[in-house]
Amino acid sequence: MASSKHSFRFGLSELLLIIFLAFSGINLAFHSGGFVVNFQSLGFTVFSSLQKGVNALVTGIGNTFNAVHELSRLREENRELTERLKNYEILQRANTDIRKENERLKEQLDFSLTFEEKNYPARIISRNPDSLYSAFTINKGSRHGIKKNMPVLAVQGGIVGLVGKVVTVGSLTSLVMPIYDSKCSVSARIQNTRDIGIVTGDGSADIPLNMSYIKKRVLDELQIGDLIVTSGEGGNYIADIPIGSISEIRVLEYDSSLNIKVAPVIDFSRIEMVIVSDRIELNPALVSQIEQVK
């Protein structure tokens, strides 16, 4: 008995049916708007995401440029403020220096007006501390009334002290030999005991002065710190001008006199202004005051 077999054949009619059904479905979808809506939604989503990314990128770049510009502006402001602060500090230092200079000048002027003898304020314009002859130059000379051997004084911190004497006079400048010069000798007196000796220098402002010819018998009357002043004898210096104070007393067996070290009252490393004194003429300011009293 023969068996029968059934086979499915995909013929032309079936293919046309499938194509027709598909076409009809697509056509129906287009007419109903389903595909249009889906494509629009998809396009909007893609475009909006892209736009959002571009906007974020542009905003980030803009913020970066703004930050760089702001940083540059802040740096420029900081530089300007730093420069202003520096100028302010320089101005403050200049004002401080001017005030100190005015104080020094006022100090010299006040002393110059009250000093009994005629005097000439002057400024040191050059010096050579390494020279064996430790003179310095002042800006006053014969045209200003300066004469050889006039005593030279200074005021520091309200204290008047002996600086030296004029040794050479030019037309506009003069040379002053300080008391610490090895060639300088000053007749001096111990203010406490009134004993007279000679004060000499060792050639350096950093080394104490020497006082000689003070007898050993007055040793018990002397003390460290006793003031040494000019005696006024010899005609070169005015009397009772402070020179320095006793810093050391030595007793030498082979010498009948004491070896006394004297610390100058003037700090020569800081001296800028001096007063040259005339031992003969009186201060015109005091003469005027005397005449007014009469």
Side-chain angles (χ1 to χ4, degrees), residues 140-156:
K140 294 291 176 67
S142 59
R143 287 190 182 182
H144 306 93
I146 306 297
K147 299 180 180 65
K148 186 177 180 179
N149 290 325
M150 279 185 171
V152 180
L153 317 175
V155 184
Q156 279 186 346

Side-chain angles (χ1 to χ4, degrees), residues 115 117 149-153 161-167 176-180 183-188 199 229-243 277-279:
F115 199 56
E117 287 76 13
N149 290 325
M150 279 185 171
V152 180
L153 317 175
L162 182 65
V163 173
K165 67 177 180 179
V166 176
V167 291
V176 176
M177 180 172 66
I179 55 175
Y180 61 79
K183 299 179 180 64
C184 184
S185 60
V186 182
S187 177
V199 172
V229 298
T230 55
S231 68
E233 298 182 3
N236 287 331
Y237 298 96
I238 305 166
D240 295 323
I241 298 298
I243 298 174
S277 176
D278 190 327
R279 303 184 312 277

Side-chain angles (χ1 to χ4, degrees), residues 78-116:
N78 181 65
R79 187 191 65 79
E80 291 179 359
L81 290 174
T82 301
E83 190 67 24
R84 290 180 184 178
L85 180 60
K86 186 186 299 183
N87 293 335
Y88 176 76
E89 290 175 349
I90 293 174
L91 183 61
Q92 285 293 96
R93 288 195 294 268
N95 289 337
T96 301
D97 292 339
I98 291 173
R99 285 196 298 269
K100 289 182 179 180
E101 178 69 11
N102 288 338
E103 290 174 1
R104 288 193 293 267
L105 291 174
K106 183 179 183 300
E107 189 177 48
Q108 297 283 340
L109 180 61
D110 290 344
F111 173 75
S112 176
L113 294 175
T114 58
F115 199 56
E116 292 184 1

Side-chain angles (χ1 to χ4, degrees), residues 124-139:
I124 297 174
I125 57 176
S126 68
R127 69 179 85 199
N128 184 9
D130 296 328
S131 174
L132 292 176
Y133 185 67
S134 307
F136 52 83
T137 305
I138 59 174
N139 65 343

